[in-house]
Amino acid sequence: MNVQIAPSWKLALNPLFEKPYFAQIAAHLKTERALHKTIYPKGSQIFNAFEQTHYDDVKVVILGQDPYHNPGQAMGLSFSVPDGIKIPPSLSNIFKELKADTGTSIPPTGNLTPWAQQGVLLLNAVLTVRENEPASHSKIGWMNFTDDVIKHLSDQKSRLVFILWGNFAIQKQILIDATKHKILKAAHPSPLSAYNGFFGCKHFSATNDYLVSHNKTPINWAL
């Protein structure tokens, strides 16, 4: 696999690219492409989270599950969709909570690249998916890779904010040293669960309060 990833990340994560699971991922994607399967996001955006958020700039991690599986949506950043694409229901609820928490206006776009460029790593646990088949790549090795990324960040950095929405993401807290980092947990923003603890979680203001308390620049959540 031709890994298109920012040099700072490549240096930090190079040992992971040598692990057997990475060869397994590459082989699986190559096979599916040979079978003319449509895979999202496009190849140049698989590692977009690492392109948009440089290694030295990481302050916050928002963990998603796997990419959107409908045409035009996936762009390699968790919960984000490109400009001009209808805002998905979970992201719409994220924006509602953002407004209720901070007063920030509901953004006109679902493109979260400005968050990423401020140090918010928008990381999906699984980085690819087959068209119209959610979780279709959940067992090809991606979670070994992203678990190792989370552990690396926990071990090598300090005073990060990890935002875990929903049971799937919350299970990842075992990878994070809670004595060094802030872990924020709530229900998933999906319409199926948002009213069970996502709305009212105030994670956006809590993130900035923590960053400011540790002399870090807060995130401008406006898009």
Side-chain angles (χ1 to χ4, degrees):
M1 186 190 302
N2 179 21
V3 179
Q4 298 187 39
I5 193 167
S8 61
W9 280 103
K10 206 158 194 175
L11 184 65
L13 302 181
N14 198 51
L16 306 188
F17 301 134
E18 305 300 323
K19 290 197 173 187
Y21 62 64
F22 214 83
Q24 174 187 323
I25 294 167
H28 191 96
L29 295 179
K30 185 176 180 180
T31 297
E32 293 212 352
R33 289 192 178 108
L35 294 171
H36 304 292
K37 301 288 188 182
T38 299
I39 297 170
Y40 298 132
K42 61 184 180 182
S44 62
Q45 290 189 323
I46 291 174
F47 295 97
N48 195 30
F50 303 95
E51 285 290 334
Q52 300 301 330
T53 308
H54 292 175
Y55 179 77
D56 292 336
D57 297 338
V58 177
K59 294 187 283 191
V60 182
V61 180
I62 298 180
L63 188 66
Q65 193 158 355
D66 68 339
Y68 296 117
H69 58 271
N70 293 322
Q73 291 184 309
M75 57 180 295
L77 304 176
S78 61
F79 296 103
S80 182
V81 292
D83 291 324
I85 298 296
K86 182 180 178 181
I87 295 173
S90 290
L91 184 54
S92 178
N93 285 337
I94 289 170
F95 288 161
K96 289 175 185 176
E97 174 59 23
L98 173 64
K99 182 177 182 180
D101 180 14
T102 68
T104 301
S105 298
I106 300 288
T109 176
N111 188 340
L112 304 181
T113 300
W115 293 1
Q117 293 175 341
Q118 294 178 74
V120 182
L121 182 65
L122 297 166
L123 181 66
N124 278 318
V126 178
L127 299 189
T128 57
V129 69
R130 279 196 302 270
E131 183 178 29
N132 297 326
E133 296 184 51
S136 49
H137 286 178
S138 62
K139 296 181 180 177
I140 71 171
W142 280 126
M143 281 200 271
N144 300 101
F145 171 69
T146 54
D147 280 0
D148 279 348
V149 170
I150 294 167
K151 284 188 285 189
H152 174 92
L153 291 172
S154 176
D155 292 345
Q156 299 300 320
K157 293 183 175 287
S158 60
R159 309 306 182 197
L160 301 183
V161 180
F162 289 86
I163 298 178
L164 310 178
W165 291 328
N167 291 333
F168 174 85
I170 290 170
Q171 291 173 3
K172 303 294 183 178
Q173 67 183 325
I174 62 171
L175 306 171
I176 304 162
D177 184 348
T179 67
K180 294 170 58 183
H181 306 285
K182 181 74 170 178
I183 301 175
L184 298 174
K185 298 179 287 185
H188 195 276
S190 161
L192 299 175
S193 55
Y195 287 96
N196 293 327
F198 174 75
F199 288 134
C201 68
K202 299 187 181 300
H203 281 179
F204 299 100
S205 60
T207 293
N208 280 348
D209 288 348
Y210 181 82
L211 293 176
V212 170
S213 72
H214 291 95
N215 300 311
K216 295 186 179 186
T217 305
I219 305 300
N220 177 5
W221 297 109
L223 293 175

